Amino acid sequence: MTDEIKKKLEDKIIGLVKEYVGKKRFKPVDIVKEMEKEFADEGLSKDDIKGVLKEIMNDEKLVYGYAGGSFLTLPGKD
Amino acid sequence: MGKKHETPLLDELKKGKWVSFVREIERAAEKSERTEDLLGQVENSYRDKITHWKHGGMAGVRGYGAGLVGRFTEFPEKYPGVKECHSMRVNQTSGFFYNSDILRKIADIAEQHAGGLLNLHGSTGDIQILGVWQEEAEEAFQKCAELGFDLGGGGSDLRTPSCCVGPARCEFANYDTLQICYDMTQAFQDEMHRPSFNYKFKLKFSGCSNDCVAAASRSDMAFIGTWKDKIKINQDEVKNYVKKFNVQKYVLDKCPTKCMLFEGENLVIDDSNCVKCMHCINEMPKALRSGDEKGLSILLGAKAPLVTGPRLGMMLVPFYDVLEDSKNDYEWLKGLISNMWEFWDEYGVSRERIGELMQRVGVVTFLEGIGLEPIPEMVNHPRGNPFIKFTDDED
């Protein structure tokens, strides 16, 4: 995965969560499935997407929440 | 000093000679104002016959999506000490062995950063530090880490793998529960700290079917020690037991498959009908021993209630040669677990446990999905019918 695609993927994931804050709670598995479809042409694997998601969480650009199941959200939201 | 909250209902639970959780909370409350409020909160819940906790929310430590279980009172103004009362799950040691020095240090962390209360151990197996506030969580976590302890699982992830004391203290253990539990914990760190499943997934390891960690009923994937060959009989010891108690009544008649009988003074076992329930071995441990070809059975799909009610695990792998696979770093087992997670990821729905998915799509589809060949021994319970109709030319 090139740095360019990685950045695009990261922005897309964070953008998706941001867009739906307060409306929909995305589980990590939902995000991975969504990105798999979105980046099908780039041939990204599940593991690629999970790897980028892991970095996003480590950098605390997104955080985990729990409401009957785990979900992703922006820091300080929900 | 007078009590901050009157607790007549909780006081009832101190009566009698046995240890009382109320007394323990009161002892902790002598040093902790927040635990005084815990007493008030619990009394309120008993009075109203409903729990006043809110569960979940945004509690956690940096980089982890699990390990701190969020809990908040519904009455933060009335009980400010428990406005947050999170449980910090600290990954327990395999078999729950600690030295007293470590326990004192963990207790110190609980006193300094929480309500001074520990839960040894939670139903997932972890040590739980109770009454943590979010603002103190990171420091408490770092102090645990300095002692060599990590946080356990929580949320939609791999929950902390748990095992019985195994061969460390028990003569009935058919495999090294401690080693495999430790190995799986190390191998699946990411899955434990970063919730990425549809729902929770539990691994529990019991050395025999006495199942001291309740794996068959409490874990999505249960590992129960067993053996393939014959039970070893010491006829002299059998005779000694016959002198001590009614072996016919309390052992043979209680055998679930009635596979034991006396021929003269000798005990005979039809091992082909034995279901390895351990009853006879428990009753006459000096006379009976499990066989030499030891391994374990893998059950899948147990869970407590919620979406479709409680389930016991189904026999997925009747005999797994764990000793052999351990020589290859449990390659086969890790592959099987990964395949199951992959299938569950793909076809599971929100809050659906893997056993519920298997029930929904059917065992045949599930086995195809995870790449496991069906065999007749894959049954729901002993003597149950297999799920697959085998044709005459198949074994």
Side-chain angles (χ1 to χ4, degrees):
Chain A
M1 183 177 13
T2 63
D3 286 349
E4 191 190 347
I5 293 180
K6 192 177 164 186
K7 177 79 175 69
K8 210 172 140 190
L9 176 61
E10 195 178 301
D11 290 346
K12 198 81 192 172
I13 292 172
I14 296 168
L16 186 68
V17 173
K18 199 171 181 178
E19 188 186 341
Y20 283 91
V21 162
K23 298 173 203 158
K24 182 176 177 180
R25 287 172 169 154
F26 285 101
K27 291 183 289 150
V29 68
D30 297 333
I31 298 277
V32 173
K33 282 181 185 173
E34 196 65 35
M35 293 303 119
E36 248 187 319
K37 278 188 252 167
E38 190 84 28
F39 287 82
D41 292 343
E42 281 82 357
L44 293 189
S45 70
K46 259 186 188 170
D47 286 342
D48 291 332
I49 299 165
K50 282 180 181 174
V52 170
L53 191 54
K54 186 176 161 182
E55 285 181 30
I56 293 171
M57 305 314 290
N58 285 347
D59 295 343
E60 294 191 305
K61 290 173 183 167
L62 294 176
V63 292
Y64 292 98
Y66 185 87
S70 300
F71 65 91
L72 304 179
T73 188
L74 297 172
K77 298 284 180 186
D78 276 285
Chain B
M1 194 176 73
K3 285 170 85 171
K4 187 173 177 186
H5 304 284
E6 289 305 313
T7 55
L9 293 172
L10 291 185
D11 291 344
E12 289 294 312
L13 298 172
K14 290 190 292 182
K15 292 177 180 171
K17 59 183 175 180
W18 305 111
V19 178
S20 160
F21 77 95
V22 175
R23 198 171 292 121
E24 290 304 302
I25 298 176
E26 284 181 347
R27 281 178 183 156
E30 286 170 13
K31 295 182 186 174
S32 166
E33 202 173 328
R34 71 176 78 172
T35 306
E36 282 190 297
D37 281 344
L38 176 64
L39 284 165
Q41 157 86 7
V42 177
E43 175 75 16
N44 205 335
S45 294
Y46 272 93
R47 193 169 55 241
D48 297 347
K49 295 187 170 63
I50 187 170
T51 177
H52 288 298
W53 293 116
K54 291 187 286 181
H55 176 57
M58 305 296 300
V61 298
R62 284 188 65 193
Y64 282 19
L68 193 65
V69 182
R71 196 156 277 118
F72 306 82
T73 175
E74 285 179 346
F75 310 117
E77 285 166 12
K78 201 170 170 186
Y79 307 116
V82 287
K83 64 181 182 356
E84 296 175 36
C85 190
H86 311 318
S87 301
M88 181 167 279
R89 287 191 179 149
V90 180
N91 195 147
Q92 79 283 14
T93 57
S94 279
F96 313 122
F97 293 101
Y98 310 98
N99 67 42
S100 52
D101 182 48
I102 281 288
L103 285 178
R104 280 188 201 97
K105 285 173 178 161
I106 291 173
D108 286 344
I109 295 170
E111 283 196 358
Q112 289 157 12
H113 299 284
L117 285 172
L118 292 172
N119 179 202
L120 293 166
H121 292 87
S123 58
T124 44
D126 307 86
I127 299 170
Q128 296 203 104
I129 299 175
L130 306 176
V132 180
W133 289 0
Q134 176 61 49
E135 65 196 44
E136 291 174 295
E138 189 65 34
E139 198 179 341
F141 167 45
Q142 292 305 332
K143 285 188 177 174
C144 289
E146 283 166 21
L147 294 178
F149 284 84
D150 197 356
L151 296 194
S156 306
D157 73 354
L158 172 66
R159 297 301 179 85
T160 320
S162 172
C163 68
C164 69
V165 295
R169 274 182 65 82
C170 180
E171 71 274 29
F172 294 155
N174 289 297
Y175 68 98
D176 192 340
T177 54
L178 307 134
Q179 185 194 345
I180 192 170
C181 181
Y182 181 74
D183 195 288
M184 293 302 139
T185 304
Q186 299 300 327
F188 296 122
Q189 283 287 298
D190 249 13
E191 287 77 4
M192 201 163 78
H193 296 313
R194 296 181 174 82
S196 60
F197 296 158
N198 290 301
Y199 205 21
K200 63 184 92 168
F201 190 93
K202 299 180 182 179
L203 299 172
K204 290 189 191 291
F205 304 88
S206 283
C208 72
S209 57
N210 283 329
D211 197 6
C212 289
V213 287
S217 57
R218 301 294 298 270
S219 61
D220 299 272
M221 198 170 185
F223 300 82
I224 313 286
T226 191
W227 63 94
K228 259 177 150 177
D229 52 341
K230 294 182 172 182
I231 292 178
K232 292 190 276 190
I233 308 174
N234 180 330
Q235 297 292 359
D236 290 336
E237 289 294 346
V238 172
K239 290 182 184 82
N240 284 335
Y241 278 111
V242 168
K243 287 177 201 160
K244 288 180 194 163
F245 73 103
N246 189 338
V247 171
Q248 180 68 46
K249 181 179 176 186
Y250 292 109
V251 181
L252 276 62
D253 291 352
K254 291 192 184 299
C255 171
T257 58
K258 303 285 182 283
C259 71
M260 312 174 83
L261 59 93
F262 274 112
E263 283 183 358
E265 290 190 330
N266 281 344
L267 180 68
V268 178
I269 301 176
D270 171 11
D271 287 272
S272 64
N273 269 313
C274 169
V275 288
K276 279 77 173 176
C277 75
M278 291 292 292
H279 174 69
C280 59
I281 297 177
N282 290 336
E283 292 295 315
M284 304 196 293
K286 288 181 183 171
L288 302 174
R289 286 281 175 196
S290 55
D292 291 323
E293 283 184 71
K294 296 175 195 296
L296 57 83
S297 300
I298 302 176
L299 279 64
L300 195 79
K303 61 180 273 292
L306 272 184
V307 182
T308 63
R311 295 170 49 93
L312 284 172
M314 182 205 107
M315 179 65 75
L316 186 74
V317 179
F319 190 85
Y320 160 59
D321 191 343
V322 59
L323 190 60
E324 194 56 35
D325 199 28
S326 70
K327 294 172 190 164
N328 300 318
D329 195 25
Y330 303 103
E331 189 184 352
W332 180 86
L333 179 62
K334 286 172 187 170
L336 178 68
I337 293 173
S338 297
N339 288 350
M340 287 197 300
W341 286 344
E342 193 69 27
F343 186 79
W344 187 33
D345 239 22
E346 198 59 40
Y347 300 104
V349 297
S350 187
R351 301 191 79 194
E352 184 178 46
R353 299 282 282 270
I354 200 155
E356 292 165 333
L357 168 67
M358 182 169 62
Q359 190 177 35
R360 181 166 60 82
V361 301
V363 180
V364 179
T365 306
F366 183 78
L367 292 177
E368 277 173 10
I370 65 171
L372 203 60
E373 282 293 313
I375 54 172
E377 290 85 357
M378 290 173 174
V379 291
N380 227 346
H381 52 81
R383 301 292 188 271
N385 286 324
F387 291 88
I388 292 155
K389 188 177 178 185
F390 294 87
T391 54
D392 290 342
D393 55 346
E394 285 177 301
D395 288 332

